[in-house]
Amino acid sequence: MSQLEDKKHLIYTLGIFAFFLFTIADTILKLIGSFYKDTVIFSIASFSSLVPVLIYLLYRKSINEIKTNNYKLHLIRGILMTLTYYFIVKGIILLPLSIAYPIILSAPVLLSIMGIVFLKETVYLSKIISLAVAMFAVFLVSGFSLKQGFDTKGVIFLACGVITLACLDFSVRVYGKTERTIALTFYSMLITAIIFFLFSLNHFSSISLTDFSIMISAG
């Protein structure tokens, strides 16, 4: 197996593991989502998400990895991350996970379309068919959820979250070669945490230690 193939397998493995962590975090937040103001949960989780980033930087002894001159990009990404976090987690709280996740999985479909339209990526028949099937599945699931009486707001929140998530990922595709991944992660989460904190002032009282630990774990 070539070095390039090894790298591809590693990337796929890391991607699957990252999505696994993503689903665990969402499930955890759903468990306590109805007990506290949503922005409080998002604020604590967002600040907590900076911990592994800082541990990585300290381990590497390389704070220079987050140095940047493109603060405008990071501010825009922070706003997109805030919207994505809010829309998706709100949708997950309002809808069953079995309904929410098929809708969330339409984000890669939208991202593929953006790559074709804006980056002129190669279009294959198999890609077109897979995109069409995926979108049909999403509409099928979301349509049935509304007919079964599930919260319409939840579907709308997730649809908005899918759009902002695709835009967020698209920014990585476009600027990932000029900005370090760790810098993109650090600044977007830091800005997100600050925004949610400002919307959560005077709402941090009466959080149990157990629930606080859950929010940190999710982050």
Side-chain angles (χ1 to χ4, degrees), residues 15 27 63-64 72 131 146 154 183 186-187 203 205 215:
T27 304
I63 300 299
N64 291 333
K72 184 178 180 180
L131 291 176
L146 293 177
F186 176 80
Y187 288 110
H203 291 282
S205 59
M215 296 177 199

Side-chain angles (χ1 to χ4, degrees), residues 39-217:
T39 54
V40 170
I41 299 173
F42 303 154
S43 175
I44 295 173
S46 297
F47 274 119
S48 301
S49 70
L50 293 172
V51 173
V53 176
L54 294 174
I55 291 175
Y56 168 83
L57 292 172
L58 291 174
Y59 173 76
R60 292 284 299 267
K61 298 179 180 179
S62 181
I63 300 299
N64 291 333
E65 289 192 44
I66 59 173
K67 284 187 176 181
T68 182
N69 294 318
N70 201 347
Y71 290 105
K72 184 178 180 180
L73 166 66
H74 294 298
L75 177 60
I76 293 173
R77 276 182 47 81
I79 294 172
L80 282 173
M81 177 69 80
T82 302
L83 293 172
T84 300
Y85 209 147
Y86 183 80
F87 287 140
I88 288 183
V89 178
K90 282 288 287 185
I92 286 173
I93 291 173
L94 292 171
L95 292 172
L97 291 175
S98 59
I99 298 296
Y101 262 84
I103 299 176
I104 294 174
L105 290 175
S106 64
V109 177
L110 181 56
L111 186 61
S112 298
I113 294 173
M114 293 172 70
I116 293 170
V117 174
F118 296 108
L119 301 180
K120 309 302 179 184
E121 294 181 348
T122 305
V123 183
Y124 298 101
L125 180 60
S126 58
K127 179 178 286 188
I128 294 175
I129 294 174
S130 63
L131 291 176
V133 171
M135 288 306 298
F136 175 74
V138 169
F139 286 129
L140 191 65
V141 170
S142 59
F144 272 119
S145 71
L146 293 177
K147 289 180 180 179
Q148 292 172 13
F150 291 127
D151 200 309
T152 305
K153 280 186 180 180
V155 176
I156 294 174
F157 275 131
L158 286 180
C160 293
V162 163
I163 294 172
T164 55
L165 177 59
C167 292
L168 189 66
D169 290 343
F170 186 74
S171 69
V172 176
R173 176 70 175 80
V174 175
Y175 296 102
K177 294 181 180 179
T178 56
E179 291 287 322
R180 290 180 177 272
T181 304
I182 196 71
L184 291 171
T185 303
F186 176 80
Y187 288 110
S188 60
M189 293 310 304
L190 177 62
I191 293 170
T192 297
I194 292 172
I195 291 174
F196 281 133
F197 177 78
L198 293 176
F199 280 100
S200 304
L201 294 176
N202 303 322
H203 291 282
F204 283 98
S205 59
S206 303
I207 301 178
S208 70
L209 180 60
T210 300
D211 291 344
F212 185 74
S213 300
I214 289 174
M215 296 177 199
I216 292 177
S217 300

Side-chain angles (χ1 to χ4, degrees), residues 3-21:
Q3 186 175 2
L4 179 60
E5 289 177 333
D6 286 340
K7 186 176 181 180
K8 285 183 177 180
H9 283 297
L10 176 62
I11 291 173
Y12 292 148
T13 302
L14 290 175
I16 293 171
F17 180 65
F19 188 77
F20 174 68
L21 294 179

